[in-house]
Amino acid sequence: MSTEPVDIADVPAEVRDRHAILAQEVEEHRQRYYFATPTISDAEFDQLMRELESIEEQYTSLRTPDSPTQKVGAPVTEPGVVEGSWPPIDHLERMLSLDNAFTFDELTEWASRVEREVGEGARYLCEPKVDGLAVDIVYRDGRLATLATRGDGRTGENITYNTRYADAIPKELTGTDQFPVPEVVEIRGEVVFPAEAFEAINAERGELGLPLFANARNSGAGVLRQRLDRRKEKIDAARKRAEAAGGEGRAQLALQRLEDEFDRARRMISSLILICHGLGQRSGFEVEYQSEAYAALKAWGLPVSERVRVVPNLPAVQEYIGHYGEHRHDVEYEIDGVVVKVDQVSLQRRLGSTSRAPRWAIAFKYPPEEVTTKLLDIRVSVGRTGRVTPYGVMEPVKVAGSTVENATLHNASEVERKGVLIGDTVVLRKAGDVIPEILGPVAELRDGSERAFVMPTECPSCATTLKPAKEGDVDIRCPNTRSCPAQLIERLFYLSGRGGFDIEAMGWEAAQALTAPDEPAEPPVRDEGDLFGLRIEELRDVRIRREIRRKGQPTGEFELVPYFYTKETPSKPSVPTKNTERLFGQLEKAKRQPLWRVLVSLSIRHVGPTAARALANAFGSMERIQNATEEELAAVDGVGPTIAASVIEWFEVPWHRDVVRKWSEAGVRMEDERDESVPRTLEGLTVVVTGSLEGFSRDEAKEAILVRGGKASGSVSKKTSYVVAGESAGSKLDKAMQLGVPVLGEEGFRALLEGGPDAAAAHVQAAE
């Protein structure tokens, strides 16, 4: 496969279209995964990502900084995992992800690339891949300074407060003559529940009538990220109320309940273990081998895996992987594969990193585990675009470390192809995703009571007759796009995401409450156009249907309760909740978002962040996009005929145009304001930024290029005007040198931004 630079104008239109569609799908599924509402399996996601990577390997001009292949990790805040969120904190050195191998052939390909780059002689460090929460720990002068989650690799959540209860995280490093403690050292590791502790916690929760945790990884992450500081504040306030009441009555009971809950949370955090596996930034400390770094970590009093092995060659790596594939459940915590690293640090530096992962390490992922369970029913869900998807409801079963009871079946044809019947014992496969996959039935166990699934003819959410979008489509859809409650909830949830308006307080339940068809009779949001015109007092009577729970267990009984306001009592009037006030504050902030985010939030088919940015940069306003011809839209770099046709089709629908009108009337920004004081110094220039810059994040560098009229590209070709090379620039710098593309450092980049090519000429670096 050729990897020669190809200018984007030379990429076939159908390839650009497929790339844009894939990029949008991957981003949407990634967002749903991090918000714990995935609709596809890990295997399907990996397939989409691999197709995207394959296209970008062949057409490198499509590999832009916006591409999902260039991103790391999760949003800084993952709503729904913990109550509230911690303040952000920047990592001293960026935390990267790992590329994956799923077969020995892929592992061999990686090892061959290593050998091509650095020659023979690389030895490998192998360790079990801990399925936990990635953390970043900073020690200054040997004392614990900060603890943070990985977040997006550059910025995480500052959860340092909880370290006072996390026994596994040393508060002070020790050090030896061989390994004295550095002035500053950044430690990377994974926090997870050991299997024994996880089972004990669930046993206690069962005895107390509390819901059981599904798996060790997610519950461990949620436990460590609890706002124990806020719980402590509630306890202090409750203690004052109890003292004022003389230490008796309801106030004392409320205090006792809060203290018991806090004690359980504290004990759960103290049950977590830490496994360290790497270093970030450090001062006054260098090693020759990764394994030597592990010895230093251990000498400092930090926990490392006792199962780490340094092996001389690839066959020994494969033997190690095979051993833990057979004995993965013998490890005291959940693992989902093996991490393989080049042990020599000098070779690691020569191999470098991509924008998201080191080239000197890879994660070998074990195949999904398979179990059998009873298929109790097949139901359907309705997605954002109206697609109706069957899913299986099963007897709960534990697989790959978590308990599952729902699994995707994709579409009616897939149900028929797999031959599953309601009542079957089915084979279930799960690779760590929340919604696993039914592979097929165990036909030998049928007793004749099984029955076939019949795809509904009406939408389960709005009773509209279902039909394919066009003749020959495998999927069927609900055509009631405007007012189908299920689709509207999905669209509100989507537009509130980080790729859209970024309205954190608009969770799934809030979207459901706003669109509830029963209470009140006329819901406050009939389509997304109503969202920004809402008034807080309109939501006083909104109720949501919730299941009544007794001792933490569902009862099957339901009640209508206020959602946006507190419950009214004889002594207290109903008032907006704090989350409601936060929602309206965020709605006001969302009105000022740039045009590309507004475009994403409209749920135009195929228009994700990349296409939306391209349209916003090309036309500058919603009105000009709406009035553009299909040919004008398709001519935009990064759009193409498929997306252009989709945009035209979307604006032809009257209620779609009403959404835009209502948003505009409510004050949503429909035109990007260009700062005339910023000089257009980069008109017609294509700039590639590679490596780390001290004064710019990757997004800030890109924005600086775009506002000055330039194009920020992710790949180097002969048509690249400049490459800006920061620290750890890697292969893009090498390619620029080979092609004779001018290279600038950070000082030269600033000169280019301020004065254009003439000002940057004196800063161009000579080829070595």
Side-chain angles (χ1 to χ4, degrees), residues 475-758:
D475 296 325
I476 64 170
R477 298 177 184 272
C478 170
N480 181 21
T481 54
R482 180 180 189 183
S483 53
C484 172
Q487 293 182 62
L488 181 52
I489 291 169
E490 286 274 5
R491 292 200 303 272
L492 286 176
F493 176 75
Y494 178 74
L495 70 82
S496 68
R498 289 184 177 270
F501 281 118
D502 193 12
I503 307 169
E504 186 185 322
M506 175 67 79
W508 183 266
E509 202 172 46
Q512 193 176 27
L514 287 171
T515 58
D518 298 323
E519 192 65 37
E522 186 71 29
V525 174
R526 288 156 295 179
D527 62 46
E528 53 265 55
D530 296 331
L531 182 62
F532 289 99
L534 285 173
R535 291 176 292 111
I536 199 166
E537 57 269 20
E538 290 181 84
L539 307 185
R540 182 182 298 276
D541 296 325
V542 171
R543 302 288 186 271
I544 192 165
R545 191 169 178 261
R546 280 197 179 137
E547 188 171 13
I548 299 170
R549 302 177 76 90
R550 294 192 180 95
K551 293 185 177 180
Q553 297 301 314
T555 63
E557 302 172 18
F558 292 84
E559 62 177 342
L560 289 173
V561 297
Y563 184 82
F564 293 103
Y565 275 66
T566 60
K567 194 171 183 178
E568 188 169 2
T569 67
S571 59
K572 275 190 175 181
S574 178
V575 296
T577 67
K578 288 184 179 179
N579 200 55
T580 302
E581 293 174 346
R582 193 161 64 100
L583 170 62
F584 275 80
Q586 290 175 2
L587 285 171
E588 284 302 310
K589 183 180 177 182
K591 292 177 183 179
R592 303 189 294 274
Q593 292 283 21
L595 178 61
W596 73 266
R597 289 184 177 273
V598 181
L599 285 167
V600 170
S601 301
L602 291 173
S603 283
I604 303 172
R605 196 176 182 191
H606 305 321
V607 177
T610 300
R613 281 184 184 273
L615 289 166
N617 287 335
F619 293 96
S621 75
M622 188 70 73
E623 182 180 6
R624 286 193 281 273
I625 293 170
Q626 187 171 340
N627 294 331
T629 65
E630 188 169 337
E631 291 74 20
E632 289 171 334
L633 293 169
V636 174
D637 188 11
V639 177
T642 301
I643 296 174
S646 185
V647 172
I648 293 293
E649 182 181 342
W650 193 89
F651 277 109
E652 285 175 347
V653 178
W655 76 266
H656 287 169
R657 296 195 298 272
D658 283 343
V659 168
V660 175
R661 176 184 56 77
K662 286 191 278 189
W663 282 3
S664 178
E665 290 174 352
V668 176
R669 196 168 96 183
M670 292 290 165
E671 183 169 0
D672 281 340
E673 299 174 4
R674 287 186 173 172
D675 187 349
E676 298 301 328
S677 65
V678 177
R680 305 284 287 180
T681 51
L682 305 187
E683 291 280 8
L685 301 180
T686 299
V687 182
V688 174
V689 178
T690 180
S692 301
L693 302 176
E694 286 188 9
F696 298 84
S697 69
R698 185 64 60 90
D699 288 341
E700 288 169 347
K702 179 179 179 182
E703 190 65 27
I705 294 165
L706 294 175
V707 298
R708 288 165 176 79
K711 174 186 172 184
S713 179
S715 60
V716 181
S717 73
K718 290 181 179 178
K719 295 186 179 181
T720 301
S721 307
Y722 293 93
V723 168
V724 178
E727 187 179 346
S728 304
S731 60
K732 291 177 186 176
L733 175 59
D734 295 339
K735 181 64 71 174
M737 293 297 188
Q738 292 171 16
L739 297 176
V741 175
V743 175
L744 300 172
E746 185 163 353
E747 185 180 350
F749 180 45
R750 292 182 185 279
L752 179 68
L753 295 175
E754 293 172 9
D758 289 344

Side-chain angles (χ1 to χ4, degrees), residues 230-278:
R230 291 181 179 174
R231 289 196 177 197
K232 200 73 171 167
E233 290 170 1
K234 289 180 180 178
I235 288 173
D236 292 340
R239 183 173 291 112
K240 289 180 181 178
R241 288 193 295 270
E243 289 171 355
E248 297 178 356
R250 288 185 178 180
Q252 184 62 36
L253 290 174
L255 172 62
Q256 188 62 53
R257 177 179 59 79
L258 289 172
E259 288 180 336
D260 289 346
E261 290 174 354
F262 186 91
D263 184 60
R264 280 198 300 276
R266 178 192 58 76
R267 285 189 285 110
M268 285 191 292
I269 287 182
S270 69
S271 299
L272 292 164
I273 61 172
L274 169 69
I275 305 295
C276 298
H277 54 64

Side-chain angles (χ1 to χ4, degrees), residues 364-377:
F364 185 95
K365 300 290 286 290
Y366 289 128
E369 291 187 313
E370 297 178 2
V371 297
T372 58
T373 188
K374 197 81 167 179
L375 179 63
L376 303 176
D377 198 5

